[in-house]
């Protein structure tokens, strides 16, 4: 084979594509109930947008971006995440605020591919623009939870933290730098770089030795300003009131520069090392930093590939109610076509191949497509105005009067 897909990308084929469609359908249903509307933004944006929002010192911007120059010498980047494009679109189109938006689509990051981690990956995201209440923080967290339960993910755990704001974070950053000043030889090379560029990011390190050092590190929550501290307490109270369980994780800081106050992550115990299903947080300064009006905001993004690994759809999602129509000679084709038309009009999925093949071959097609039923039509069936209906799972066959077949198959 001469051409293969680029490393870190994947082809999504049936039945997985059916599962993907189902996951997205449920997501749309749930967020729509909370007043969200869909937004679609370009897959590429000016590179500058991500430098100014995602953050110049983050791993995403320094190591993982797909950046290219177009023919007019503009620097463009395939979006590594959804939020900057959404915020840019709101400002550019002067969207009336408050508004709640959701998106579904591919993102691009140059990372080492692993199970559940790709260079082209899909995210399901929501953004609440223009709401500052801690109650919406809890509601955003709840929406993710509700979505996971609806797609059969029962083991997801919410990790919660506050990352402070530009008023209180510098003090914490300094405390952390002081704490690590005499421990530099105990942390990995990556963390030593993080320490100089973006100290909070050291908490993301997976290295066990590093994590041991950070166990006794100062906690961002103990240096929060009164406003951030009150907000955090209000969020936890609201979560308690809504009956949503969570774990406070002092070392969870998320890898984006624009987060303020609430940060959260959904973890699945079934995923192994790459255990995050996604996460989000508040970003009260991003709209303003991108030259829009001062606007509080909060959102999350969920990783669809990992969701697909642990989601448990009902059987008929990956095995749709397909009926295959099989005809024995060209003479029965008009009868078969008429039946197909009626079934489709009634909402039944029908496979009818116009190239006449032997019965055995047609049956093997129906098998490969995992059709639930085959309608077999021969000379006899046309004459008696019936259809021989074969249950593809059990192999049972019965003769059904032509006028009853649509009603019967509609009910499967
Ligand atoms: Zn603060
Ligand atoms: Zn480290």
């Amino acid at each position: 084979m001469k051409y293969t897909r680029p490393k870190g990308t994947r082809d999504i084929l049936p039945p997985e594509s059916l599962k993907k469609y189902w996951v997205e359908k449920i997501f749309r249903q749930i967020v729509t109930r909370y007043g969200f509307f869909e937004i679609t933004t370009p897959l590429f944006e000016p590179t500058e947008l991500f430098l100014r929002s995602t953050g110049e010192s983050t791993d995403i911007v320094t190591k993982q971006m797909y950046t290219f120059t177009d023919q007019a010498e503009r620097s463009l980047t395939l979006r590594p995440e959804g939020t900057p494009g959404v915020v840019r679109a709101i400002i550019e189109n002067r969207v009336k605020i408050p508004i709640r938006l959701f998106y579904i689509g591919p993102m691009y990051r140059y990372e080492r591919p692993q199970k559940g981690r790709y260079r082209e990956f899909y995210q399901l995201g929501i953004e609440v623009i223009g709401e500052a209440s801690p109650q919406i923080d809890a509601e955003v967290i709840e929406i993710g939870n509700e979505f996971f339960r609806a797609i059969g993910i029962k083991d997801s755990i919410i990790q919660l933290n506050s990352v402070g704001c530009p008023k209180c974070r510098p003090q914490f950053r300094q405390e952390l730098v002081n704490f690590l000043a005499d421990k530099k030889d105990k942390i990995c090379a990556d963390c030593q770089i993080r320490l100089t560029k973006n100290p909070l990011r050291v908490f993301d390190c997976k290295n066990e030795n590093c994590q041991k050092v950070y166990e006794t590190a100062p906690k961002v929550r103990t240096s929060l300003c009164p406003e951030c501290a009150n907000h955090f307490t209000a969020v936890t109270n609201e979560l308690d009131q809504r009956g949503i369980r969570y774990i406070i994780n002092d070392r969870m800081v998320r890898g984006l520069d624009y987060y303020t106050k609430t940060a959260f992550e959904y973890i699945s115990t079934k995923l192994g090392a790459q255990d995050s299903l996604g996460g989000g947080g508040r970003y009260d300064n991003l709209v303003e930093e991108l030259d829009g009006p001062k606007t509080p905001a909060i959102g999350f993004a969920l990783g669809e590939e990992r969701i697909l690994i642990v989601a448990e759809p009902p059987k008929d999602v990956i095995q749709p109610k397909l009926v295959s129509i099989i005809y024995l000679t060209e003479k029965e084709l008009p009868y078969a076509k008429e039946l197909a038309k009626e079934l489709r009009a009634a909402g039944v999925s029908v496979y009818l191949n116009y190239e006449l093949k032997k019965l055995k071959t047609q049956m093997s097609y129906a098998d490969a497509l995992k059709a639930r039923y085959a309608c077999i039509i021969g000379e006899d069936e046309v004459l008696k105005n019936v259809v021989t209906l074969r249950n593809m799972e059990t192999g049972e066959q019965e003769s059904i009067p032509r006028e009853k077949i649509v009603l019967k198959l509609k009910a499967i």
Side-chain angles (χ1 to χ4, degrees), residues 1 31 41 62 71 112 121 157 213 239 304 340 345 363 384 395:
M1 173 70 186
V31 298
T41 61
T62 54
Q71 300 199 24
R112 195 163 57 84
F121 57 98
I157 297 163
V213 174
L239 286 170
E304 195 168 15
M363 288 298 266
K384 292 181 187 154

Side-chain angles (χ1 to χ4, degrees), residues 61-330:
V61 167
T62 54
K63 297 179 190 168
Q64 300 170 355
M65 293 212 300
Y66 281 91
T67 298
F68 61 97
T69 307
D70 75 2
Q71 300 199 24
E73 300 294 318
R74 297 178 189 93
S75 178
L76 300 169
T77 294
L78 295 182
R79 60 184 188 189
E81 53 144 339
T83 305
V86 171
V87 172
R88 194 254 326 124
I90 284 164
I91 298 167
E92 185 172 347
N93 295 286
R94 296 194 174 83
V95 173
K96 190 159 167 35
I97 283 161
I99 190 159
R100 300 180 182 184
L101 299 167
F102 76 91
Y103 61 84
I104 299 172
M107 310 289 159
Y108 301 84
R109 289 183 201 173
Y110 193 83
E111 285 190 273
R112 195 163 57 84
Q114 287 180 32
K115 189 189 175 199
R117 188 164 83 188
Y118 298 89
R119 290 178 175 173
E120 180 184 65
F121 57 98
Y122 280 74
Q123 282 191 333
L124 311 161
I126 63 172
E127 313 288 1
V128 176
I129 313 286
E131 293 183 53
S133 165
Q135 293 184 62
I136 192 67
D137 299 36
E139 187 158 295
V140 163
I141 293 169
E142 181 180 47
I143 291 169
N145 229 25
E146 194 178 325
F147 168 59
F148 291 137
R149 296 301 173 271
I151 56 172
I153 301 177
K154 295 180 191 80
D155 70 318
S156 68
I157 297 163
I158 296 159
Q159 297 205 342
L160 183 70
N161 197 13
S162 174
V163 294
C165 71
K167 270 180 277 168
C168 51
R169 205 179 308 155
Q171 188 203 325
F172 170 69
R173 191 172 300 171
Q174 197 50 52
E175 278 177 36
L176 184 62
V177 170
N178 294 347
F179 169 80
L180 289 171
D182 59 349
K183 299 177 186 67
K184 278 182 190 150
D185 54 328
K186 289 183 187 138
I187 59 175
C188 73
D190 268 352
C191 279
Q192 289 180 22
I193 296 169
R194 288 177 182 132
L195 194 55
T196 58
K197 286 188 174 169
N198 194 354
L200 266 73
R201 289 284 287 148
V202 299
F203 292 118
D204 289 340
C205 188
K206 297 275 182 211
N207 186 310
E208 271 179 42
N209 291 332
C210 294
Q211 281 304 331
K212 211 165 277 169
V213 174
Y214 306 144
E215 266 169 30
T216 52
K219 293 170 179 171
V220 61
R221 275 189 314 110
T222 54
S223 50
L224 294 179
C225 66
E227 192 193 324
C228 288
N230 289 339
H231 189 92
F232 188 74
T233 307
V235 172
T236 56
N237 286 344
E238 182 68 20
L239 286 170
D240 292 341
Q241 232 175 58
R242 290 177 188 236
I244 301 163
R245 282 188 293 172
Y246 55 89
I247 296 167
I248 295 174
N249 179 349
D250 292 305
R251 288 190 285 276
M252 194 265 298
V253 290
R254 311 272 313 154
L256 305 166
D257 272 2
Y258 51 69
Y259 280 135
T260 52
K261 295 179 179 167
T262 311
F264 58 95
E265 205 162 313
Y266 302 99
I267 307 286
S268 168
T269 51
K270 289 183 191 155
L271 280 169
Q274 297 293 315
D275 61 356
S276 175
L277 290 164
R282 185 162 272 290
Y283 51 95
D284 287 345
N285 302 309
L286 183 58
V287 181
E288 197 178 11
E289 274 161 25
L290 295 178
D291 304 328
K294 182 146 183 58
T295 310
I298 181 168
F300 68 54
L302 310 176
E304 195 168 15
E305 285 73 16
R306 293 185 201 163
I307 286 170
L308 287 171
I309 294 172
V310 287
E312 287 178 12
K315 194 179 156 203
D316 63 344
V317 165
I318 47 170
Q319 210 182 326
K321 295 170 179 175
L322 182 71
V323 172
S324 189
I325 298 181
I326 290 169
Y327 55 104
L328 303 185
T329 74
E330 287 291 353

Side-chain angles (χ1 to χ4, degrees), residues 27-89:
F27 181 76
R28 280 169 205 276
Q29 280 171 355
I30 288 175
V31 298
T32 301
R33 280 183 220 150
Y34 284 87
F36 287 79
F37 291 93
E38 184 160 13
I39 181 170
T40 304
T41 61
L43 290 193
F44 55 84
E45 296 274 0
T47 303
E48 181 76 21
L49 176 67
F50 301 111
L51 300 184
R52 281 189 59 191
S53 52
T54 311
E56 278 181 271
S57 66
T58 58
D59 278 4
I60 294 176
V61 167
T62 54
K63 297 179 190 168
Q64 300 170 355
M65 293 212 300
Y66 281 91
T67 298
F68 61 97
T69 307
D70 75 2
Q71 300 199 24
E73 300 294 318
R74 297 178 189 93
S75 178
L76 300 169
T77 294
L78 295 182
R79 60 184 188 189
E81 53 144 339
T83 305
V86 171
V87 172
R88 194 254 326 124

